[in-house]
Amino acid sequence: LLPPTSLKVERVEDTGVLISWHPPEDAAARQLIDGYAVTYVSLDGSYRRTDFVDRSRSAHQLRALASGRAYNISVFSVKRNVNNKNDISRPVMLTTRTRPRPVEGFEITNVTASTITVQWALHQLKHSTVSRVRVSICQPGDLADRTVELNSSVAKYTFLDLQAGERYVIHVTTLSGLGTEDHPSESLATAPFHVWTRPLPPQNLTTFRVSATSVSMVWEQPPAGTVEGYIINVTTAQSVKSRYVPNGKLVSYTVRDLLPGQRYRLSVTAVQNTEQGQVHSEPIHLYVTTLQRDGAPERRWSQAGHPRVLRNRLPPAFLPELRLLADHDTAEEPSPAPRFTELVDGRGRISARFSTALGKSITVSAQPEASVKLENVEVSSQGSLALQLHEAKSKSEGQNCSMNPCRNGGTCARNAQSYHCNCRPGFKGRLCELACKKVPHSCTRLYSETKSFPVWEGGTCHYLYRRVYKVHQDVCYKERCESTGSETTTSRSKTKYQSYIEEAIE
């Protein structure tokens, strides 16, 4: 019998091999054979198997093979005879090796601006035939890869001298067979890993101004397009505060609202946006102690974004005892110089309380000026006497409820010095002269929620809690009061909760 020709390997797997061949070239010889016998034996002789293939086929899949092992494959032409005494041709042979298993547990363990460290694992039994591990790295678009072959006992490798803020693709394969005579084979590559190196951290970070409550930092501007923003962390022994500034051109920053004489660790991290999210550089740290406050202590606070400073002044002098200006026998005392308590805020508003009675108007300007000396104001004796008589008459009427000055059904009640009116529901005012009703209208109410935001620092995720304010639609009531006499109309706006409280008190 003539043997088949052109035996070759079509595909190699870790547990199988696909082979193919051509039938004998002579047509008469092809008619004599009934099929083919495929025999494959491991090189160490521990495994041997024979499969019979029909003559209409010219390919066969070898299965249940060990990964990474070499096999001798032989194919015979076979003619079946009676009593299983078959005729066979001379064999056609080849030697091949199955693929080894790929590595397990491949991961990226560390990434810096110029290095990438990878790690993997080899099982003692599954990878017993692995002799080497091949690791390659390249940038998208590069024609050549950087490849290194390591012994099977090595499970970690670090690529050096990489470019900062660039994307790299990493492949890892295993190899079986040490030399060409051992018919080496290579495993299927692991899924490509896309890794971005970290951007360069801020260069030459220094402080150029330190005060009791703030610290200003400055650093060199990075190359254009390499940084998308910065993360500034302020760390004390009790807390960590973080802020992200989405400005890649930022070269300075001022940290405010610090405490005097406190030690702080300030960190600046560059941020670059990639397809897999944000990539952070190594943080650069500064240790700063704020200055102690000099001089008298000042109380500071902030309201609606306007810093305020309260300066303590001397208290106003006590008012002298009242005396009648018409009494010419009493010696006139010189009026003391006016004193006042001053409240200055960031918006330039001033409220002043004078210690002496003023009878002359005072002009207040934006800039402080010298105190104005007030002149004594003389009042005629006739005008003073008329004023005294009017006050005495009002006092006598106020202490008497016999005339019932209360309007709209109000009830007069006396107290030690004067009287007051108890008004009926729907009426208000000192004399119950106002008829009031409540008119509903839509309004808004402000409330707050606390939300957490993740912040990365040095490969560790911290959660920063911030207060978020929201506006809620509510119903308010406007109290509209109309005078039943000759007085003007007044109106007040209250929330429904304040109206409920007033109704409960009434």
Side-chain angles (χ1 to χ4, degrees), residues 323-400:
R323 58 184 177 83
L324 295 177
L325 297 180
D327 190 358
H328 299 283
D329 297 335
T330 305
E332 183 176 356
E333 298 179 0
S335 59
R339 306 174 68 89
F340 62 92
T341 300
E342 179 187 23
L343 174 64
V344 181
D345 63 11
R347 295 171 292 181
R349 297 181 180 177
I350 300 176
S351 63
R353 181 178 179 182
F354 291 86
S355 62
T356 57
L358 301 181
K360 183 178 180 180
S361 62
I362 297 178
T363 302
V364 180
S365 61
Q367 299 295 333
E369 298 178 353
S371 301
V372 179
K373 184 176 181 180
L374 303 179
E375 300 177 356
N376 294 330
V377 181
E378 296 183 357
V379 181
S380 63
S381 59
Q382 294 180 358
S384 175
L385 183 58
L387 179 60
Q388 296 176 40
L389 294 176
H390 178 71
E391 291 179 353
K393 182 179 179 181
S394 299
K395 183 177 181 181
S396 63
E397 292 179 354
Q399 294 178 354
N400 188 4

Side-chain angles (χ1 to χ4, degrees), residues 53-354:
V53 182
D54 189 80
R55 68 177 184 178
S56 62
R57 297 172 54 190
S58 59
H60 183 62
Q61 175 73 41
L62 310 183
R63 304 180 186 277
L65 304 181
S67 61
R69 292 192 177 277
Y71 291 87
N72 288 325
I73 303 174
S74 303
V75 181
F76 304 84
S77 298
V78 177
K79 183 179 183 306
R80 294 181 180 273
N81 297 323
V82 183
N83 299 327
N84 290 330
K85 294 182 179 180
N86 302 331
D87 296 332
I88 61 174
S89 67
R90 290 180 293 103
V92 57
M93 297 181 295
L94 60 80
T95 302
T96 188
R97 184 184 296 270
T98 56
R99 291 182 183 272
R101 292 182 180 272
V103 297
E104 296 180 353
F106 181 79
E107 60 180 351
I108 308 297
T109 59
N110 187 35
V111 178
T112 66
S114 60
T115 64
I116 296 177
T117 301
V118 296
Q119 182 176 327
W120 59 89
L122 296 177
H123 194 271
Q124 185 175 2
L125 296 178
K126 294 180 180 179
H127 300 91
S128 59
T129 58
V130 173
S131 57
R132 286 168 294 177
V133 177
R134 178 180 296 167
V135 186
S136 61
I137 188 172
C138 67
Q139 287 184 268
D142 286 354
L143 299 178
D145 299 349
R146 292 173 55 181
T147 303
V148 59
E149 292 186 1
L150 307 171
N151 195 289
S152 59
S153 61
V154 179
K156 180 184 289 188
Y157 187 75
T158 300
F159 293 97
L160 305 176
D161 301 329
L162 304 180
Q163 299 180 12
E166 296 292 337
R167 184 178 70 168
Y168 287 88
V169 182
I170 300 176
H171 296 85
V172 179
T173 57
T174 57
L175 303 175
S176 292
L178 296 178
T180 56
E181 66 277 2
D182 294 331
H183 305 280
S185 63
E186 182 178 351
S187 70
L188 297 175
T190 58
F193 281 77
H194 296 263
V195 185
W196 276 262
T197 54
R198 294 190 176 193
L200 289 175
Q203 302 295 316
N204 297 330
L205 178 64
T206 57
T207 59
F208 66 91
R209 183 171 61 248
V210 178
S211 67
T213 59
S214 65
V215 175
S216 297
M217 302 178 293
V218 64
W219 58 88
E220 292 183 2
Q221 186 172 5
T226 59
V227 177
E228 306 293 339
Y230 293 92
I231 295 177
I232 291 90
N233 288 343
V234 182
T235 306
T236 62
Q238 295 81 14
S239 64
V240 177
K241 296 182 179 180
S242 179
R243 182 187 178 188
Y244 173 62
V245 183
N247 182 7
K249 299 180 180 179
L250 188 70
V251 294
S252 64
Y253 187 81
T254 300
V255 181
R256 307 182 187 276
D257 299 330
L258 305 180
L259 297 178
Q262 182 77 21
R263 180 176 174 82
Y264 292 90
R265 188 184 75 171
L266 308 180
S267 304
V268 181
T269 304
V271 178
Q272 181 181 5
N273 294 330
T274 66
E275 297 176 0
Q276 294 182 348
Q278 290 186 345
V279 178
H280 299 173
S281 72
E282 294 288 343
I284 301 299
H285 304 291
L286 280 178
Y287 293 87
V288 180
T289 302
T290 54
L291 301 179
Q292 295 287 348
R293 191 185 299 273
D294 298 331
E298 295 181 351
R299 294 164 51 194
R300 293 180 178 268
W301 71 96
S302 177
Q303 181 177 357
H306 300 282
R308 297 183 175 183
V309 180
L310 178 62
R311 296 184 176 89
N312 296 324
R313 301 294 189 213
L314 294 176
F318 292 99
L319 295 176
E321 295 182 358
L322 296 177
R323 58 184 177 83
L324 295 177
L325 297 180
D327 190 358
H328 299 283
D329 297 335
T330 305
E332 183 176 356
E333 298 179 0
S335 59
R339 306 174 68 89
F340 62 92
T341 300
E342 179 187 23
L343 174 64
V344 181
D345 63 11
R347 295 171 292 181
R349 297 181 180 177
I350 300 176
S351 63
R353 181 178 179 182
F354 291 86

